[in-house]
Amino acid sequence: MTQSATFTPRYIVVSPVKDEELYIERTIQSMLQQTVRPVQWLIVDDGSSDQTPAIIAKYTRDHDWIKSIRINRDAVRDRKSTRLNSSHITI
C-alpha cells in the first residue's frame, strides 16, 4: 500500500542588507513570487543610509510574514557586537 502525502517545507529566511535600494525591491518581488514562501522572512538592515529602509517598510506593512530590524551602527560600536535572538523570529 503506497501512501501519497504532500509535504510543504517550512523555513525562515534571514537576509542581511545595507544600502540596497537598487536591488531590494526586485529581491522582495522575487520572494513574493515564490511557489513556497517562507514562514517568515527577516530582513536585517545593517544601517543603510539610502532608501532601503523605506522600500522594506512598504512591503512589511502589506505582508505580515516579512519582518525587518534595523541595526544602529553607533549602538553596535558601543556594545562591540550585535546578536539576534528568538524575539526577532516568530513561527
Side-chain angles (χ1 to χ4, degrees):
M1 180 187 247
T2 60
Q3 190 174 19
S4 176
T6 303
F7 174 72
T8 303
R10 292 177 46 90
Y11 64 100
I12 296 170
V13 174
V14 178
S15 299
V17 299
K18 183 172 183 182
D19 296 331
E20 297 288 340
E21 71 180 340
L22 298 177
Y23 308 104
I24 192 66
E25 191 148 24
R26 185 172 179 192
T27 301
I28 294 171
Q29 286 296 325
S30 176
M31 185 68 81
L32 292 172
Q33 294 174 12
Q34 296 302 306
T35 306
V36 179
R37 290 187 189 145
V39 174
Q40 186 170 43
W41 183 15
L42 179 61
I43 303 173
V44 182
D45 182 355
D46 194 17
S48 292
S49 59
D50 62 2
Q51 291 301 306
T52 300
I55 296 167
I56 294 168
K58 180 170 68 170
Y59 289 93
T60 58
R61 283 190 297 271
D62 296 334
H63 304 281
D64 62 350
W65 56 277
I66 302 174
K67 307 290 184 198
S68 176
I69 63 170
R70 185 175 168 104
I71 297 173
N72 180 338
R73 298 311 299 162
D74 293 331
V76 170
R77 284 187 207 104
D78 293 341
R79 288 191 317 253
K80 305 227 189 253
S81 68
T82 298
R83 292 190 177 131
L84 297 178
N85 60 44
S86 61
S87 68
H88 295 101
I89 299 172
T90 51
I91 299 177

